[in-house]
Amino acid sequence: MINASPDLRQQLIQTPQLHPKHGQLRHSPIAGVILTNGEIDAVAGLLSMREGSPFTLYAHRRVLAILKANSIFNVLSEHNVKRREIAIDQPFELALPDGTPAGIEVLPFAVAGKGAWYLEGAAHPNGEAQNDVGDTLGLRITDQATGKSFYFIAACAEVGPELKQRLNGASLAFFDGTVWRDDELIAAGLGYKTGQAMGHIAMSGERGALAALADLDITQKIFLHINNSNPALLPGSEERKAVDRAGWQIPADGMEVVL
Amino acid sequence: MINASPDLRQQLIQTPQLHPKHGQLRHSPIAGVILTNGEIDAVAGLLSMREGSPFTLYAHRRVLAILKANSIFNVLSEHNVKRREIAIDQPFELALPDGTPAGIEVLPFAVAGKGAWYLEGAAHPNGEAQNDVGDTLGLRITDQATGKSFYFIAACAEVGPELKQRLNGASLAFFDGTVWRDDELIAAGLGYKTGQAMGHIAMSGERGALAALADLDITQKIFLHINNSNPALLPGSEERKAVDRAGWQIPADGMEVVL
């Protein structure tokens, strides 16, 4: 939001809930965190949110079980950080830490994915199957005042008919852009896993995100969760041009998105 | 080391083990990590060291048990990250990941401390007492070529006669400088714990670090682990002046220390 228009910037400055409270040390304006999976890059940041500002942590029971089984997450005290279970296809309303409704509804839905890789070969702490529905969520986020909504899907292994139907007609979708091609990490000598093995669809290819979402009516399409091995990150690359041609955006710091 | 002399800087540039390897993506020159306690600020950084560069993780069995009980640390694969148990009063030699001796000997010793606070009220994963010897280590680190050594003590709840005797005559000691006064976090409204409750001696006071170490012959005394609530961090503060007068240094980025 750094490059917001002067009007919007003024509005942001006048919106106290978006800023640390003046004169209050170590205050954080973050009122809630929604975990869409239990992967290390989704949960490790919680360990930096331990300074006492209250917030609500929303997650599927499978992910809550991982946090519970890892005592290190006790740095988030029960007093300050309420853990709230969310369930697939059950919309819920976000609230500020004092209980005030935030005017935002969130609908979690299942997308193809996989369990956290640091649990591979181990039993899931919940005693359930190792990889199962609930490990990877997409979100539809709706402004209850205007009814406008957008989609957030940071990890998705496959775009099936159900997901296509859901996204068709959307105003805005943030979508998993981890890798350009499935074997990219292996080819670069950075790892031994394919994108699929990590639960991520590639951007390119016959079954990639660009092809799978090409025929849908989505006003704004923005990739996120882009790995630093993905050549589409490089301005001017052939891959970036292909992304541009397909009507997708690669976001940058300070980017402003208006619904 | 940013402010190193031109000669030293040249030497650092020519010392390949101090830099990421040229042309090798995601290489880290960090060959080993020694955990001196299991506190969140000592272990959370490990989660950022998961990109595949091999290193050795040295820790007391009580701390290794915490890592083992928290599956999230499986992001450090056994293949790349060997976990090596170290024991009190048993010196060991550091080695590079390929087994080459690094020419550095480390002697861990027990100092007064406490267990990790995120385990408070829970059983220690090792089945041992909740707070016990081994939770907090000091280190003597010796260059085997020259015999020169220094001390590293990032957490210490009390300076007793044994520690005084150990440190007397040292060339260099890095020492716990978390808080200026014991109730500092409470007074600032930042928390409800004293320094003692967190396992840290204060800098000031009759039993503080400045007083406790005043009569010892230590050539260089440098505080570390300084909390952002500690007024001695502020250049020009009365507390900083008192630290200066007592012959201690508050380190800064780029500071060069020569044994």
Side-chain angles (χ1 to χ4, degrees), chain B residues 12-192:
Chain B
L12 290 173
I13 290 166
Q14 290 169 352
T15 309
Q17 64 268 32
L18 296 179
H19 295 273
K21 278 189 192 154
H22 188 70
Q24 191 173 328
L25 296 170
R26 296 189 181 173
H27 175 254
S28 155
I30 298 172
V33 170
I34 308 171
L35 299 177
T36 55
N37 62 70
E39 201 51 275
I40 182 72
D41 56 355
V43 302
L46 292 171
L47 302 177
S48 301
M49 299 180 72
R50 62 184 190 267
E51 296 299 356
S53 262
F55 67 92
T56 305
L57 182 56
Y58 305 88
H60 190 273
R61 69 167 191 277
R62 289 177 60 83
V63 174
L64 288 179
I66 295 173
L67 300 184
K68 192 175 175 188
N70 279 268
S71 57
I72 196 170
F73 289 104
N74 293 347
V75 296
L76 304 174
S77 77
E78 285 179 30
H79 177 69
N80 279 324
V81 183
K82 303 289 181 211
R83 301 185 187 187
R84 187 170 154 194
E85 183 180 325
I86 61 176
I88 287 167
D89 297 331
Q90 293 188 16
F92 61 96
E93 287 182 51
L94 297 179
L96 300 180
D98 65 3
T100 314
I104 297 171
E105 183 202 81
V106 179
L107 172 69
F109 53 90
V111 294
K114 62 175 289 298
W117 66 263
Y118 57 87
L119 292 176
E120 282 173 13
H124 189 275
N126 227 15
E128 302 178 353
Q130 205 180 30
N131 293 308
D132 204 352
V133 173
D135 282 333
T136 311
L137 302 179
L139 304 175
R140 186 192 69 196
I141 297 169
T142 308
D143 178 343
Q144 293 177 310
T146 64
K148 290 182 179 177
S149 66
F150 68 94
Y151 287 87
F152 176 95
I153 302 169
C156 180
E158 188 185 3
V159 176
E162 195 183 343
L163 182 57
K164 282 188 185 179
Q165 195 178 352
R166 193 186 288 275
L167 294 178
N168 203 17
S171 305
L172 166 65
F174 293 100
F175 194 81
D176 182 351
T178 310
V179 290
W180 172 256
R181 49 178 257 208
D182 194 46
D183 64 352
E184 172 178 306
L185 284 167
I186 300 167
L190 292 174
Y192 57 92

Side-chain angles (χ1 to χ4, degrees), chain A residues 14-38:
Chain A
Q14 290 169 354
T15 310
Q17 64 267 33
L18 296 179
H19 296 273
K21 278 189 192 153
H22 187 72
Q24 191 173 329
L25 297 170
R26 295 188 182 175
H27 174 255
S28 155
I30 297 173
V33 170
I34 308 171
L35 299 177
T36 54
N37 61 72

Side-chain angles (χ1 to χ4, degrees), chain A residues 25-26 40-41 43-44 47 50-51 69-75 117-119 185 188 190 227-229, chain B residues 25-26 40-41 43-44 47 50-51 69-75 117-119 185 188 190 227-229:
Chain A
L25 297 170
R26 295 188 182 175
I40 182 72
D41 55 355
V43 302
L47 301 176
R50 63 184 190 267
E51 296 299 356
N70 279 269
S71 57
I72 195 169
F73 289 104
N74 293 346
V75 295
W117 65 265
Y118 55 88
L119 292 176
L185 284 167
L190 291 173
N227 197 46
N228 58 12
S229 60
Chain B
L25 296 170
R26 296 189 181 173
I40 182 72
D41 56 355
V43 302
L47 302 177
R50 62 184 190 267
E51 296 299 356
N70 279 268
S71 57
I72 196 170
F73 289 104
N74 293 347
V75 296
W117 66 263
Y118 57 87
L119 292 176
L185 284 167
L190 292 174
N227 197 47
N228 59 10
S229 60

